[in-house]
Amino acid sequence: MPGFRIEGISKDKLDDIHHATIEVLRNPGIKIESEEAAEIFHGAGSEIEKHNDGFIVKIPSSVVDDCVQLAPKRFVLYGRDPKYDHTVEPGSSCFTLFGENIYVNDPYTLEHRICTKNDLGVATRLADSLGEFAIIEKCLGSQDKPSETQSMHNYEAMVSNSGKHVLHGFFSGRNSEKIIEMAAACIGGMENFLKRPCVTTTVCPTSPLTLVKNCCDVIITCARSGVGICSITMPLSGTTAPATIAGTLIVQNAELLGSLVLTQLTAKNTPFIYGSVGTIMDLKLGSPAVAAPECGVLNVGTAKMAQYYGIPSWCGSGVSGSKLMDAQAAYEFSTNTAIALLAGSNVVYGCGSIESGLTFDFAKLVLDAEQLKQLQWLKNGMDVSEETMALETIQNVGPGGEYLTSTHTLQHMRSMSQSDLFDCMERDAWDKKTGGKDIVERAYEKARFHIENHQSMSLPEGAAETMKRIIKECEMADC
Amino acid sequence: MIDKSIIEETAEVLIKVNKVRAIEIVKNFINEGGNPLDLMEEGFIPGINATGDLFGRGKLFLPELIQAADIMKEVTDIINEALAGGSDIKKERGTIVVATVQGDVHDIGKCIVVSLMKANGFTVHDLGRDVATDKIIESALAVNADIIGTCALLTTTMPRQKDLEDALKSEGLKDRIKTVVGGAPVTPRWASRIGADGYAKNAQDGIVKIKEFLGIE
Ligand code: B12
C-alpha cells in the first residue's frame, strides 16, 4: 500500500539546497576539532587548514557523492530479541522517545523531581511494553551517577529493561569502547554483537558547521567497531543558523554531510542516519521554540534531503513546550509528528517529553503511543483495490440495506482502527468504565500497570555482572 | 540640564537601532561643548535600560537588543575618547568574565547573556565554550574581574561550576570575585549548594544579580 505522503519540496528546489550545501562545504568549509578526523578527511582528498583549536576542512563534492553512495539505504536495527528487529528502509517508519530529559514527573506521586538511573529503567520498561516503539532511546539520565560514567550507567539501565534496539549517545571515545563491550556481553559475546549490533550511537554536530572532538571520536570509534551512527544536528534558526528555514536546511545539511563523510571514510557502509531536531529560536523570549510550525516544516526538509540522498532520516518532532501533559502538549505533539511521519521520516523522535525536553512524563509517553497508532493509520492511507472498492457488496446490499451482516464487513472489521484510551463511548458507558476521570489520569494508571506487570527480556547469564564490572573498573581507575 | 528632545532621541535611536544617528547625536553634542558624561548618564544609560526593559517585556527582539548593545559600545568609545584620560565610564560599571564550563559546548545562552551585559555597559570578557576552570580563574585575575559568570547546560558539566567555587575558595579569591551561575538545568538550589553568589534564570535576571553585586541602583 503506497500510503499518504507529503511531497513538500520539488526536485529542482532540493537540487538548489544540495548545490548550495556543496558551496558551503567548499567555502567556508566545516570546522573539525579532532586531529585524527582531520587526517581522515585529508587522506581522502579534502583540503585542511589549522584553525585555532581545530581544523577547517573543505570537502570536495566528489568525496561527498562517493560517501553518500557508500551509506546504506537499508539496514536492520537489531534487537537483543530478534522479534524486535526493525528494518530501516525507504518507506519504513518507526517512533522513539525523546532524550534526554533531566526531570521526571514521578509515576506514583506525580512529584516533579530530578531523575535517577532507576527512573530510566522504569521508563524504558514502559516503552518496551508499548508496541508503537520499535526502538528505545535514552529518555532520562542517571543523574545519581558520576558524570564521567553516566552514559555507561544509562546503557545498563536501558538494556536491562528492554530487548529492543537501543539508540544512545555514547558521549566520548572512551565510553564508546566500554558501551560496545557492555552491549556485546548482553547479546552473547563480541562475535554475535558484530553480526547483530543491538545499539546505535547518536552524535551531535554543533551548529553552525562544527564537529567537536567528542563527536568525531564517537563517530570514529563506533564506525570502526561496526556500530551505526545517528547524527543529529540542532540548528536554532536566528541564532546558530539563518533565520529562514531554507538557510537552516543548508547549514544542517552541511553538518550532516560532514558527519556522514567522516563515518564512511572511517568505515565504508557503516549505517548512518540523517537526523535533525532543529527549530527556530524565539527571538523575543530567547528560548528554543521546540514545537513551532517551523520545526514541522524543517522536518519535511530533513526527510526530503535524506530521501534525495537515499539515506534514512530521523526527525525530532513531538516535544512540547508545555510544563504539563495538557492540551498544548497534545496539540503540539500531534501536529509536528504527523508532518514528520507523512514526509516519510524513517525515525520519528520526541515521545514522552514536555518542558522543551527537560521533563519526562509517563502519561505523555502512553498518550503519545496512543496517538501514534492513529497517525500510523493515517499514513497508511487508502488502499484502492477490487477488494476494498467492494463493488459487489455495494450492489448486493442495495439501497436502504445494511452492511453490518455482510461477509465483507466480517472480513475487514479487524483491520479498522481502534483506540484504547481515546474515548468515543456514549456517556453512561464512559462514566462506568472511566469513573469520569480525565484521560491523563487514566494514562498514568495504564503506565503504572505496565511498569508493574510488563516482563522485559532478561539478560543472558553473566551479562549484568560483566556490565557492573566494566563500570566499576572505569570508576576505580578514573578512566 | 540636557535638552529633553535630545534625551528622548537617544532612547529612540537605541530602540530603533539607528547607529548612524546615535553617533551623530554624540558628535554634535560634544562639538557644541556639552559634557559627554551627562549625555551618557541622562540619555544613553536610561535609553539602554529602557531597551532591555522592552526586551524583557517581549516588545523587542533579541537581535535588536544586541544591536542596541553594539551602538552603546560605539557611543561609549567615542565618549571615552573625548574624555581622553579623564574618568573612563566603562570601568566604573564593572568587569565580568563569562564562560561555558569545560566539557560543555552549549553557548547560545552564554552569548545572549554576554550581549545583554555589554548592552548594560559592563566590560565583558567572553572566554567561549568548553573552558577549563584554571583558565577561567587565570583570565579573571588577568583582567581584574569583579564577577565570573559561568554557563552549564549539561547535568554532567554542572560539577565544573562547583570546581570553580572550590578553587576560588582555596585560592582565597572568594571575597574578591563574585560568581553567578546559569544554564537550563541549573537551579537556585544548586547555586546555593555549591556556594555561588548568585543564580540567574535568564539573561535579564543575570543583569539584576550583577547590579546587586556591584551595588548599582
Ligand atoms: C541547542 C542544543 C545543543 C546544541 C548546542 C549548540 C550551541 N552552540 O550551543 C548541540 C547540538 C551542540 C548540543 C549538544 C549536546 N546536547 Co544539547 N541542547 C541544546 C538545546 C536544544 C538548547 C540549548 C539552548 O541553546 N537554549 C537556549 C538558551 C538561550 O538557553 P540557556 O542556554 O538555558 O541560557 C539562558 C539561561 O539559562 C541563562 N544562562 C545560561 N547561562 C548563563 C550564564 C550566566 C552567567 C547567566 C547570568 C545566565 C545564564 O540565560 C540564558 C538566556 O536567557 C537544549 C535543550 C533545552 N531545552 O535547553 C539541549 C540540551 C541542553 N542538550 C542536551 C544533551 C544531552 C546534549 C548532548 C549530550 C547530546 C548528545 N547525545 O551528544 C550534546 C552535548 C555536547 C556537549 N559536550 O556539550 C540535554 C542535556 C541533558 C542533561 N543531561 O543535562 C538538553 C537539555 C536536551 C535534552 N533534554 O536532551 N545541544
Side-chain angles (χ1 to χ4, degrees), chain A residues 98-100 102 206 286 356-357, chain B residues 103 105-109 151 153-155 183-184 203:
Chain A
F98 178 89
E100 67 179 65
I102 52 184
T206 303
S356 304
Chain B
V105 305
H106 296 86
D107 63 357
I108 301 170
C151 169
L153 263 278
L154 295 169
T155 47

Side-chain angles (χ1 to χ4, degrees), chain A residues 98-102 138 141 143 150 168-171 202-208 212 214 232-236 240 277 281 285-288 290 349 353 355-358, chain B residues 98-99 103-110 112-113 117 129 148-158 161 180-185 199-207 210:
Chain A
F98 178 89
E100 67 179 65
N101 298 278
I102 52 184
K138 164 202 50 174
Q143 305 299 349
Q150 218 177 77
H168 176 39
F170 294 177
F171 203 68
T202 57
V203 291
C204 293
T206 303
S207 304
V212 298
N214 271 338
I232 305 164
T233 183
M234 299 180 197
L236 292 169
T240 55
V277 275
M281 181 68 116
L285 296 175
S287 56
V290 289
Y349 156 98
S353 188
E355 200 183 346
S356 304
L358 295 181
Chain B
V98 183
D104 204 320
V105 305
H106 296 86
D107 63 357
I108 301 170
K110 183 216 68 195
I112 295 176
V113 168
M117 287 174 173
R129 52 179 163 81
I148 297 177
T150 53
C151 169
L153 263 278
L154 295 169
T155 47
T156 49
T157 57
M158 281 164 56
Q161 294 180 325
V180 55
V181 291
Y199 157 79
K201 64 176 182 297
N202 55 38
Q204 200 76 31
D205 191 27
I207 301 299
I210 285 164

Side-chain angles (χ1 to χ4, degrees), chain A residues 221-242:
Chain A
T221 311
C222 290
R224 283 187 184 142
S225 315
V227 170
I229 314 286
C230 178
S231 183
I232 305 164
T233 183
M234 299 180 197
L236 292 169
S237 300
T239 50
T240 55

Side-chain angles (χ1 to χ4, degrees), chain A residues 276-321:
Chain A
S276 165
V277 275
T279 187
I280 53 164
M281 181 68 116
D282 182 316
L283 290 176
K284 280 188 169 170
L285 296 175
S287 56
V290 289
E294 285 91 336
C295 169
V297 177
L298 182 63
N299 275 335
V300 175
T302 305
K304 294 302 154 187
M305 283 318 288
Q307 287 156 19
Y308 179 86
Y309 297 123
I311 46 179
S313 61
W314 180 108
C315 291
S317 69
V319 184
S320 170

